[in-house]
Amino acid sequence: MVIMGYGRCLSFIFHFKSSLKQISNCYRFFSATPEWEPVVGLEIHAQIQSSSKLFSGADTNFQTPTNRSVALFDAAFPGTLPVLNRRCVEAGTLTALALSCDLNQVSTFDRKHYFYSDLPAGYQITQHRFPLAQNGLLNFIVYKGGSDSRLYEKTSQIHQIQLEQDSGRSLHDEIRSLVDLNRAGLPLMELVFKPDLSDGEEAAALVKELILVLTRLGTCSCKMEEGALRVDANVSVHRRNSPLGTRTEIKNIGAIRAVANAVDYEIDRQIRVLQCGKEVVNETRSWDAERMRTVPMRDKEEKQDYRYMPEPNLPPLHLRLTNDQPMHSNMVDVTQLINKVPESPFQMRVRFQKDYGLSLLQAVRLVSEDMLLPLFFNAMNMKQDRDAVILTDLLLNDVLSYFNEDDSCNVVFKADDMGTITDMMKDGVISKSIARIILKELSQSPALSAKEVMEKNNLSLICDPAIIERLCRSVTQENANMLKKHLAGKKDSTKVLETKVWKKSEGRANMNLVKEWFKTNYPFSKK
Amino acid sequence: MSVCLLCRRLTRSKLDALLRAACKLSSQSSSARADSAPAASTPAVDEETVKHLERLSLVDFANKRGVARLEEAIRFANRLDEVDTTDVEPLVSVLEDEVLYLREDKVTEKNDVKVVLSTAVVTEEDFYVAPPGNIPLVVRDLSELK
């Protein structure tokens, strides 16, 4: 639950890189050993999307020049007092509701003391004793690749959600620190998860799901590269049927992949330490992405004493939880907010499978694509009995790549066209490859509709038996040798010949008719 | 003002408990004066504690006067332990029944970097310049304290 300035941790990494050179590298993988059980819990700091800071009226712009977004309160000038931002309470509440937390009708603020130059007051205002919300849940889907790939559902419990301030940012060199307070006082919500996970892939999947939830709620941008979402991972390892082991905490992991890698590395490191008969030291570590390892961060000789005390300058924060509570201008009205919680990604996945017959994998992929969802919804709303599986495949396999390659966001697809293409594929009017050609045209000339593109380029499938006959004949003539072997019963060349017909027709031949033709005219019988 | 406000805000049970505690304290106070506290409550500040506190606070006080002052402060604070606070809910703030004011999410502060940096001794390109992190103080021999 410790916050660390962003820059502070970077320099630690830098510092430890040099000391690492002396440590011999004997890193091996032990994850497969069944006797060890890893336990992983995450603490995630998410910056609340707001215009002004948590307790001051300074702006939250990420890119202002050094010390340009700093109110006197953020720099801890004497006589300044904290004034809580309503938006931050609302965002925290909304997030808590979306994660099925119990909201506390009254929550309080505390001071947590650290002496760092980027924390000018000498303490961080956080919620220690009575946080905003407790006891939530996050359901997510874990995908494990590799030879025994599998997809499974997992739940992690949320211990609590609390509002707190971010610290400043410091850049270090040998002899001094340069401190920028633009970050100081930015609103954070810290989500403390219970240690329910067992490896890096699950941890990464949890973070991914949380990002989906928060971005859909609009309570956090989740731009990890800007430090808007930072992950701390608590990792310990113990033998099956024995008490939990000593844990270490990996701080400030700033990318989803890094979460998976850091946790898995740390699990392996601890197993290795234990197998050598040594003990895991309770310490704070950081992830060095370049060298793919965790390194110790702070000296561990003393346990940190935060000397928590109630924040005397902030009376308790109240929420209006039920209708029989009187309205109050300084209470966030939860009875209203609850209507603003959108369908969760989890519910959406369940619905997609149930209502549209999508597979779990399709549902997982579709739900995580913000660009595709509106296309999917609109196309399905226009025509309820549309084939959602074909539509989803079209969106995920073909349309998505246009959005991914399109950095300038110029490409626009219309739900109408997606629906038309889906229907034509379903009815056998066009093939997958023609669908691709149509998409390409549409991406270049957004004024046209799918139907117009087809007519303009004469793209519908060739279903005229006479034309099919002609195509097949010419292919068999061009491949006389192959046909000879085929007829002699030595080698079944039907597939190859069919493909040649398909190519000759530029992907427009109705392949069902082509297959039919070969079956009738050149049936294969092995001799 | 504060006493009046405090009394108003205390529930009867809290008030009773407080009064009880206050009576108890005053009956003992003649023997429990700070300057003549019993030996048992005299704090023993050893070298390790001094070092630890110096690091935590970044305050340099490892001299006879500094330690004496610390011990004095501890003795002073220890008197609070003499109060029987059983069943007394701690009062954090006299405003504990108030509803915290919420401000609209608007940027109201001008970014005046000159004012923000005005109290800094050393600056560079609008950064505050600070010592390099929470580095340990130079570990000195504190034997002269004994």
Side-chain angles (χ1 to χ4, degrees):
Chain A
M1 281 183 227
V2 187
I3 56 155
M4 283 284 286
Y6 204 46
R8 192 191 301 145
C9 97
L10 291 182
S11 74
F12 269 108
I13 295 173
F14 190 76
H15 174 75
F16 276 101
K17 260 186 202 167
S18 50
S19 59
L20 263 172
K21 285 176 189 152
Q22 298 144 17
I23 304 169
S24 66
N25 182 357
C26 53
Y27 171 47
R28 277 169 291 149
F29 279 94
F30 283 101
S31 324
T33 326
E35 63 182 298
W36 295 103
E37 251 173 40
V39 176
V40 181
L42 301 183
E43 288 169 13
I44 299 176
H45 286 98
Q47 183 188 330
I48 295 171
Q49 250 178 329
S50 64
S51 318
S52 63
K53 289 185 176 178
L54 184 59
F55 293 118
S56 81
D59 72 88
T60 54
N61 188 352
F62 172 67
Q63 280 150 329
T64 50
T66 312
N67 283 319
R68 289 305 202 282
S69 300
V70 185
L72 293 184
F73 172 78
D74 305 319
F77 271 59
T80 55
L81 288 168
V83 189
L84 184 58
N85 183 342
R86 173 185 286 271
R87 155 74 191 160
C88 299
V89 182
E90 286 172 349
T93 308
L94 207 56
T95 306
L97 287 171
L99 297 170
S100 335
C101 292
D102 301 330
L103 284 157
N104 283 330
Q105 203 256 312
V106 179
S107 61
T108 57
F109 289 93
D110 301 277
R111 293 181 177 182
K112 182 181 188 180
H113 295 82
Y114 316 67
F115 285 102
Y116 286 127
S117 46
D118 50 20
L119 195 70
Y123 57 83
Q124 173 202 29
I125 302 179
T126 178
Q127 297 193 292
H128 181 59
R129 294 163 304 149
F130 303 103
L132 186 67
Q134 282 157 305
N135 305 328
L137 280 181
L138 181 62
N139 288 310
F140 54 99
I141 305 286
V142 188
Y143 174 71
K144 293 236 172 93
S147 50
D148 53 343
S149 74
R150 61 201 180 106
L151 204 58
Y152 61 95
E153 199 180 290
K154 180 99 192 170
T155 302
S156 187
Q157 285 178 281
I158 294 164
H159 174 60
Q160 67 180 50
I161 298 181
Q162 68 208 33
L163 299 175
E164 59 184 38
Q165 305 169 292
D166 204 347
S167 65
R169 191 170 147 263
S170 33
L171 308 165
H172 302 267
D173 61 26
E174 295 288 307
I175 46 160
R176 60 195 185 153
S177 308
L178 300 176
V179 180
D180 173 13
L181 294 182
N182 281 350
R183 270 196 170 279
L186 283 182
L188 303 177
M189 39 188 173
E190 175 169 338
L191 299 105
V192 183
F193 287 87
K194 292 193 177 162
D196 305 319
L197 313 178
S198 49
D199 62 33
E201 220 47 70
E202 291 187 356
L206 184 153
V207 175
K208 256 189 233 166
E209 183 76 7
L210 184 68
I211 288 176
L212 269 189
V213 173
L214 298 184
T215 49
R216 300 264 154 95
L217 284 172
T219 56
C220 174
S221 76
C222 296
K223 289 181 181 156
M224 294 183 93
E225 66 280 9
E226 291 180 1
L229 192 91
R230 279 122 57 187
V231 179
D232 299 344
N234 290 301
V235 179
S236 75
V237 160
H238 62 107
R239 270 181 211 278
R240 210 149 288 228
N241 305 322
S242 64
L244 293 178
T246 310
R247 69 189 173 97
T248 59
E249 186 175 17
I250 315 165
K251 284 257 154 240
N252 271 332
I253 315 173
I256 294 179
R257 255 313 85 198
V259 172
N261 291 336
V263 168
D264 282 339
Y265 174 87
E266 185 59 18
I267 290 170
D268 289 329
R269 187 190 70 84
Q270 291 188 12
I271 292 176
R272 207 182 58 208
V273 167
L274 294 170
Q275 283 191 333
C276 297
K278 287 183 227 157
E279 274 177 20
V280 173
V281 186
N282 174 228
E283 63 184 352
T284 308
R285 302 175 71 87
S286 71
W287 173 242
D288 179 348
E290 213 170 291
R291 286 168 177 253
M292 295 283 282
R293 59 171 63 204
T294 62
V295 290
M297 243 167 79
R298 221 180 283 150
D299 53 347
K300 57 236 168 191
E301 80 222 52
E302 301 278 4
K303 205 156 167 49
Q304 274 228 317
D305 177 4
Y306 297 122
R307 286 156 298 135
Y308 282 106
M309 61 171 268
E311 167 58 62
N313 293 330
L314 291 164
L317 167 65
H318 290 249
L319 301 177
R320 183 170 182 265
L321 286 185
T322 56
N323 283 318
D324 36 279
Q325 235 176 298
M327 290 277 225
H328 191 293
S329 60
N330 286 328
M331 280 189 200
V332 164
D333 192 347
V334 181
T335 59
Q336 295 291 312
L337 272 185
I338 205 156
N339 301 322
K340 289 192 187 165
V341 178
E343 185 181 28
S344 77
F346 187 79
Q347 291 163 331
M348 215 183 261
R349 278 192 292 263
V350 173
R351 185 162 64 89
F352 281 6
Q353 290 174 79
K354 207 173 124 242
D355 294 1
Y356 299 123
L358 300 189
S359 70
L360 176 59
L361 184 60
Q362 274 185 318
V364 169
R365 290 188 59 204
L366 184 59
V367 167
S368 55
E369 296 299 341
D370 283 319
M371 302 291 277
L372 301 181
L373 275 178
L375 286 175
F376 179 82
F377 280 131
N378 292 337
M380 289 312 292
N381 284 341
M382 286 171 197
K383 196 167 158 237
Q384 302 283 340
D385 60 341
R386 202 155 251 164
D387 193 318
V389 175
I390 295 182
L391 175 63
T392 307
D393 271 337
L394 178 78
L395 293 175
L396 288 173
N397 299 339
D398 300 304
V399 175
L400 185 59
S401 56
Y402 284 101
F403 289 130
N404 288 345
E405 286 160 21
D406 177 40
D407 294 328
S408 45
C409 301
N410 285 328
V411 174
V412 181
F413 287 113
K414 292 187 281 288
D416 205 4
D417 292 333
M418 298 306 111
T420 313
I421 297 174
T422 304
D423 294 346
M424 290 192 296
M425 282 167 81
K426 167 91 174 163
D427 298 339
V429 180
I430 57 169
S431 63
K432 217 176 230 180
S433 49
I434 294 180
R436 285 194 189 120
I437 296 170
I438 298 175
L439 282 178
K440 193 166 182 199
E441 279 281 326
L442 285 176
S443 72
Q444 286 157 358
S445 34
L448 294 178
S449 75
K451 274 256 160 17
E452 285 165 344
V453 168
M454 265 185 63
E455 277 156 26
K456 189 180 126 205
N457 300 310
N458 196 18
L459 282 174
S460 58
L461 276 192
I462 301 166
C463 297
D464 184 344
I467 303 177
I468 297 280
E469 169 99 24
R470 208 179 324 133
L471 279 167
C472 293
R473 288 241 172 270
S474 76
V475 164
T476 45
Q477 277 160 21
E478 283 160 24
N479 299 282
N481 273 342
M482 209 182 268
L483 189 66
K484 222 186 237 167
K485 278 187 191 159
H486 179 81
L487 287 174
K490 281 181 186 154
K491 198 180 171 215
D492 186 357
S493 306
T494 324
K495 277 237 161 71
V496 186
L497 290 167
E498 281 168 9
T499 313
K500 286 189 187 290
V501 173
W502 185 74
K503 273 191 186 147
K504 205 175 179 68
S505 71
E506 291 169 328
R508 291 181 50 222
N510 184 330
M511 291 311 285
N512 289 336
L513 295 180
V514 173
K515 276 180 193 148
E516 200 67 26
W517 189 88
F518 274 99
K519 222 178 186 175
T520 331
N521 292 290
Y522 298 112
F524 180 73
S525 57
K526 199 172 179 182
K527 283 169 194 161
Chain B
M1 154 249 141
S2 63
V3 176
C4 178
L5 196 61
L6 191 72
C7 289
R8 227 180 22 194
R9 295 200 172 276
L10 288 172
T11 58
R12 179 145 285 283
S13 66
K14 281 180 190 167
L15 199 61
D16 285 348
L18 201 70
L19 284 173
R20 224 179 30 244
C23 294
K24 212 166 164 188
L25 183 65
S26 61
S27 68
Q28 292 174 349
S29 61
S30 55
S31 62
R33 298 279 295 265
D35 49 21
S36 60
S41 70
T42 309
V45 183
D46 60 13
E47 198 181 310
E48 279 311 304
T49 313
V50 170
K51 277 189 202 162
H52 179 53
L53 289 175
E54 277 198 319
R55 278 206 59 194
L56 276 179
S57 63
L58 299 182
V59 173
D60 181 3
F61 68 92
N63 50 57
K64 274 185 187 142
R65 235 182 96 219
V67 173
R69 213 167 140 184
L70 175 69
E71 286 172 343
E72 174 79 13
I74 295 170
R75 245 196 312 276
F76 178 77
N78 274 352
R79 292 195 66 202
L80 291 173
D81 291 340
E82 296 167 19
V83 185
D84 179 9
T85 54
T86 326
D87 299 330
V88 182
E89 208 183 302
L91 180 77
V92 168
S93 154
V94 290
L95 300 174
E96 68 178 12
D97 294 331
E98 294 291 312
V99 175
L100 178 57
Y101 172 75
L102 298 179
R103 149 183 82 80
E104 289 311 310
D105 182 23
K106 290 210 178 87
V107 178
T108 51
E109 298 274 341
K110 282 183 287 173
N111 296 318
D112 195 339
V113 71
K114 272 204 200 105
V115 179
V116 166
L117 294 177
S118 61
T119 54
V121 182
V122 192
T123 61
E124 185 169 316
E125 290 174 8
D126 293 342
F127 283 99
Y128 292 93
V129 176
N134 226 5
I135 50 157
L137 294 166
V138 181
V139 180
R140 288 167 299 159
D141 181 16
L142 301 182
S143 52
E144 87 259 18
L145 286 173
K146 288 171 192 162

